[in-house]
Amino acid sequence: MPIDLGHHPPIVWGGFTLVVAVLLVLDLFVVNRKSHVLTLAEAARWFGALVALALLFGLFLLGREGPRAMLEYYTGYLIELSLSVDNLFVFILVFQYFAVPAALQPKVLKWGILGALILRALMILGGALLLQEFSWITWVFGAILVFTGWKMLTRSEERVEPERNPVVRLARRLLPVGDSFEGDRFVVRGLRGWRVTPLVLVLLTVEWTDLVFAIDSIPAVFAVTRDPFIVYSSNVFAILGLRALFFLVAGLLEKFRYLKTGVAVVLVFVGIKMAASPFVHVPIGLSLGVIVGVLGGAVVLSLRRPAPATG
């Protein structure tokens, strides 16, 4: 059964894909061709440029399709960006678990982004096909979002257990994994032949983490729009800024103590909205206002009521 990719002509899909390819080449293989820890200034400049491009893309949708498409895109982008920030918490824990040196983290993030783009594209196509063929799937997606949001609200702390990860366990069974890092290489050759370094396990864990987050984030954007192009473009722009965002705010995440609560409330809201969509229509402008208000309130509250000092 062919997937309905919306009313966008091939030139729009092709043009967007070309823009993404150019951005990836610039970011990963030109500007930052040598993996290194971005300085605060470098991360701020690159993240600011990507946010500006994301906002300009919304204006392109406004001119081509009208205000509704623009608002749907901005709402989806904001949801994805907020969930990406939450994703950074887990990335930090993964790096801490494997004791990954700071100098090696950029390479993991670089290849993690490339893998995430491919996985997100496949999952968005799958989600679009499910919604196209089974109208009742909206209730399933809505329930997933509400459950995830509730779990985030009630979970006391984040835990990372890569050794229980099925992908990591399979890799250890099938691949000869070395005991130590070998610079930034994924594969090395020794006296006993080729072997992979623990950096491969780190990358697999990061990809698996993004896959788990995508199960929540993609339905969240489908809750505000059924247009696969808008879902995909909002996902892509959020992912493109993830690496710069990591270096920009990784050391500050703990200061935003209420941000995770805000993200959880947003997930519950969009989950209820999606499940109720066959019966109640919530204007996209109202949805965007609620999401901005909740996330903005969480940031302001975090700054006004910082976490108590430890030690």
Side-chain angles (χ1 to χ4, degrees), residues 40-299:
L40 188 62
E42 288 175 325
R45 285 196 299 268
W46 189 243
F47 182 70
L50 289 171
V51 170
L53 284 174
L55 296 177
L56 287 174
F57 186 75
L59 297 179
F60 163 75
L61 291 175
L62 172 65
R64 188 179 186 279
E65 301 179 25
R68 179 177 179 82
M70 179 191 69
L71 289 176
E72 288 180 347
Y73 164 77
Y74 282 150
T75 304
Y77 176 64
L78 183 59
I79 291 173
E80 287 299 326
L81 201 58
S82 62
L83 287 171
S84 294
V85 172
D86 188 56
N87 209 352
L88 295 182
F89 283 98
V90 181
F91 285 177
I92 292 173
L93 293 176
V94 170
F95 290 149
Q96 290 176 347
Y97 180 93
F98 284 102
V100 182
L104 303 185
Q105 295 174 12
K107 185 165 186 177
V108 175
L109 292 171
K110 173 189 289 189
W111 292 105
I113 287 172
L114 292 175
L117 289 173
I118 296 172
L119 289 174
R120 293 293 179 98
L122 294 175
M123 293 185 69
I124 289 169
L125 291 175
L129 180 59
L130 288 173
L131 288 169
Q132 176 183 313
E133 295 299 314
F134 309 104
S135 59
W136 51 264
I137 207 71
T138 57
W139 298 334
V140 176
F141 283 179
I144 290 174
L145 295 174
V146 172
F147 173 76
T148 302
W150 176 255
K151 187 169 64 173
M152 290 176 64
L153 284 171
T154 56
R155 185 175 54 199
S156 58
E157 63 179 8
E158 197 82 56
R159 297 183 63 187
V160 171
E161 299 177 318
E163 293 307 321
R164 299 179 61 181
N165 185 308
V167 176
V168 172
R169 293 172 64 181
L170 182 63
R172 285 196 179 278
R173 288 183 180 181
L174 299 180
L175 301 174
V177 181
D179 297 325
S180 60
F181 295 107
E182 301 284 348
D184 65 351
R185 290 180 290 179
F186 290 110
V187 181
V188 294
R189 186 174 183 178
L191 296 177
R192 297 182 179 181
W194 294 98
R195 70 180 188 277
V196 301
T197 70
L199 208 59
V200 170
L201 301 183
V202 179
L203 179 59
L204 290 174
T205 305
V206 166
E207 294 289 9
W208 177 265
T209 298
D210 184 76
L211 180 63
V212 172
F213 269 86
I215 295 174
D216 303 325
S217 65
I218 290 175
V221 184
F222 271 119
V224 298
T225 178
R226 300 298 172 83
D227 189 329
F229 180 71
I230 293 179
V231 176
Y232 180 62
S233 57
S234 61
N235 264 266
V236 166
F237 273 115
I239 292 173
L240 286 176
L242 187 59
R243 193 170 72 97
L245 187 62
F246 178 87
F247 294 107
L248 185 62
V249 303
L252 303 175
L253 287 177
E254 292 184 358
K255 295 183 181 296
F256 297 102
R257 57 187 301 204
Y258 295 109
L259 183 58
K260 186 180 291 290
T261 301
V263 172
V265 172
V266 167
L267 285 177
V268 172
F269 168 71
V270 296
I272 294 174
K273 177 181 181 296
M274 187 173 201
S277 60
F279 315 103
V280 180
H281 172 67
V282 179
I284 186 62
L286 177 60
S287 297
L288 180 58
V290 170
I291 294 170
V292 171
V294 169
L295 295 176
V299 171

